Amino acid sequence: MRILHTSDWHLGKSLENFSRIEEQEKFLEDFVQMVEENNVDLVIIAGDIYDSSNPPARAEMLFYTTLKKLSNGERVILVIAGNHDNPERLSAASPLAYEHGVILLGTPKSIAPKGDFGKFKILDSGEGFLEIEIKGEKAVIIALPYPSEKRLNEIFTSELEEEKRQKSYSERVGEIFNDLSKKYRKDTINIAVSHIFVAGGEESGSERPIQLGGSFTVEISHLPQKAQYIALGHLHKPQRISSTLPAYYSGSPLQYSKSEMNHSKCAYLVDLKAGEPVTVKEIYFKNYKPIEVFRCNGIEEALEICNEYRDKDIWAYFEIKTESFLPSSKIKEMKSILPDIVEIKPILPEDEMEIEDYEIDDKSVKELFEEFYLKENKVPPTEEVLELFMSIVKEEDEEDETSEA
């Protein structure tokens, strides 16, 4: 069975109020062609289809049009909800979708209907799993759409489950994976799909945090250990999350912030046979409209760069060293030459403190805070603010000492 794993499309997303929908349309046209050229049997979209729970109509139209082209009566599409998606809204089209080879799962308790759907069959299913047959090959898929704290509590509802509800988020997720892994068999291809934050994953900066300081982080040891391939969504940088498990984040298809400007984007082409090791290959996407950051010594250099790039389709950020605030006439001129300037940031002399000239070794935490507060607020901190800050520092030190002990 050949699978193409993708995620985090974030249809409808903007870059500082600049729409990305045209880039997303180009990506999806190429994605459909990629699926066709590689003879993919199953497309897995591991969450965050949309950028908000109430996506614009154009984004929804783009999604459903793409699903129709992808399935084309020939293959299966499995979609789970991410933390940006409204699970009920995403799965609302299920009665029509199954007939077109599309499986939409919104919550951890979702149950896919059993039956013969033309090009594929759902042989067995229950909360969080399905056994599917495609072209004579059988696969057991554990599917855990974004498991919020509330949704996990809904799974562990009975009084008999009170002990389980007291366990950590990661332990509860691990228990779900462990229970569902019992559905795996030696004669089936065994896959897991989820939208979670796994410990050790590298964030890119454009994700909406779901781990809340670590409390909603899933440990690698709590992933399904017997899965042949684990398709993950949430992190926007493509990466393998474990050296011991075949667990992968496919990442987002576009650079969704300037922190991602050096990231190459891809999907994973996965070949699977029952009882055999998986083969994984990256298939890279085009960068339809690159993000560029220009650091300039003065407004005239910035104008020169605008003229140099005027015929290129880019998103531009400018950081301009200046002795005073930039004149509006010059800013207007820059934008008339290069229309998609996302940000123009003046760097004033007081902002140019060089790290190498700033010795912190001999400064106390209190002195460092006073200097930082003065720089940010242009006035020194009051005694009350200083006392509050030092009390917080003291509490954290005491907590660290307690944990070390």
Side-chain angles (χ1 to χ4, degrees), residues 306 330-341 344:
C306 287
K330 294 293 186 180
I331 292 175
K332 186 176 180 180
E333 184 179 354
M334 289 176 64
K335 291 184 176 180
S336 68
I337 301 169
L338 197 62
D340 292 328
I341 297 177
I344 299 175

Side-chain angles (χ1 to χ4, degrees), residues 30 33 85 202-203 229 246 268 287 294-295 339 388 399:
D30 287 346
Q33 184 177 351
D85 301 312
E202 185 178 345
E203 298 175 85
Y229 184 79
Y268 290 115
N287 191 353
F294 302 107
R295 296 176 175 87
L388 176 61
E399 288 178 1

Side-chain angles (χ1 to χ4, degrees), residues 130-317:
L130 63 157
E131 182 179 342
I132 191 169
E133 182 177 328
I134 305 173
K135 297 178 181 178
E137 292 285 346
K138 296 177 182 178
V140 173
I141 304 173
I142 292 173
L144 186 66
Y146 172 55
S148 66
E149 181 76 6
K150 179 182 177 182
R151 291 167 199 163
L152 281 186
N153 287 338
E154 289 172 352
I155 294 175
F156 301 114
T157 52
S158 68
E159 291 182 7
L160 294 176
E161 303 291 344
E162 179 63 28
E163 183 180 343
K164 291 183 181 179
R165 284 191 285 145
Q166 297 302 317
K167 293 183 178 180
S168 73
Y169 179 89
S170 182
E171 288 175 318
R172 283 181 286 166
V173 169
E175 194 151 329
I176 292 170
F177 280 141
N178 186 57
D179 288 344
L180 293 174
S181 292
K182 295 173 184 176
K183 299 291 182 180
Y184 288 154
R185 302 197 307 272
K186 291 182 179 180
D187 66 327
T188 58
I189 293 166
N190 300 318
I191 306 166
V193 186
S194 190
H195 193 93
I196 51 178
F197 179 81
V198 179
E202 185 178 345
E203 298 175 85
S204 67
S206 62
E207 303 93 348
R208 181 183 298 166
I210 59 176
Q211 62 272 23
L212 296 179
S215 59
F216 291 169
T217 299
V218 177
E219 299 296 329
I220 290 173
S221 60
H222 289 146
L223 295 177
Q225 305 295 302
K226 296 180 181 180
Q228 289 175 272
Y229 184 79
I230 303 173
L232 298 172
H234 177 58
L235 297 184
H236 290 183
K237 180 179 180 180
Q239 57 194 287
R240 181 174 181 175
I241 201 66
S242 167
S243 60
T244 57
L245 286 179
Y248 292 80
Y249 281 104
S250 60
S252 61
L254 303 180
Q255 297 171 344
Y256 280 133
S257 73
K258 63 181 179 180
S259 62
E260 297 179 44
M261 58 183 288
N262 294 319
H263 293 182
S264 296
K265 301 295 186 173
C266 72
Y268 290 115
L269 189 66
V270 185
D271 286 310
L272 289 149
K273 290 184 179 180
E276 295 185 15
V278 65
T279 300
V280 182
K281 176 186 175 183
E282 297 96 345
I283 301 185
Y284 289 95
F285 303 137
K286 296 176 184 176
N287 191 353
Y288 300 95
K289 192 166 183 174
I291 296 174
E292 301 285 354
V293 178
F294 302 107
R295 296 176 175 87
C296 312
N297 289 309
I299 187 70
E300 296 304 324
E301 183 180 333
L303 284 165
E304 290 176 8
I305 290 172
C306 287
N307 280 301
E308 180 184 347
Y309 283 82
R310 69 187 309 156
D311 296 325
K312 296 182 179 180
D313 195 17
I314 63 170
W315 299 111
Y317 288 79

Side-chain angles (χ1 to χ4, degrees), residues 24-36:
Q24 292 172 336
E25 287 174 342
K26 292 176 183 177
F27 152 68
L28 289 172
E29 287 176 7
D30 287 346
F31 186 76
V32 171
Q33 184 177 351
M34 181 185 296
V35 169
E36 293 284 353

Side-chain angles (χ1 to χ4, degrees), residues 1-64:
M1 187 177 294
R2 173 163 282 187
I3 296 169
L4 194 62
H5 165 208
T6 180
S7 69
D8 296 273
W9 289 0
H10 289 277
L11 301 180
K13 188 174 181 62
S14 297
L15 180 66
E16 306 290 346
N17 296 320
F18 287 84
S19 174
R20 310 295 298 277
I21 197 74
E22 291 183 1
E23 294 167 85
Q24 292 172 336
E25 287 174 342
K26 292 176 183 177
F27 152 68
L28 289 172
E29 287 176 7
D30 287 346
F31 186 76
V32 171
Q33 184 177 351
M34 181 185 296
V35 169
E36 293 284 353
E37 289 176 349
N38 287 281
N39 298 314
V40 173
D41 301 309
L42 171 65
V43 176
I44 293 176
I45 310 174
D48 280 355
I49 312 308
Y50 301 115
D51 193 55
S52 73
S53 58
N54 186 26
R58 187 176 175 184
E60 287 192 297
M61 179 66 75
L62 182 57
F63 176 53
Y64 290 120

Side-chain angles (χ1 to χ4, degrees), residues 297-299 320-327 346-350 352:
N297 289 309
I299 187 70
I320 305 172
K321 291 183 180 180
T322 178
E323 295 295 324
S324 60
F325 288 102
L326 301 171
I347 307 297
L348 299 168
E350 57 264 32
E352 289 191 78

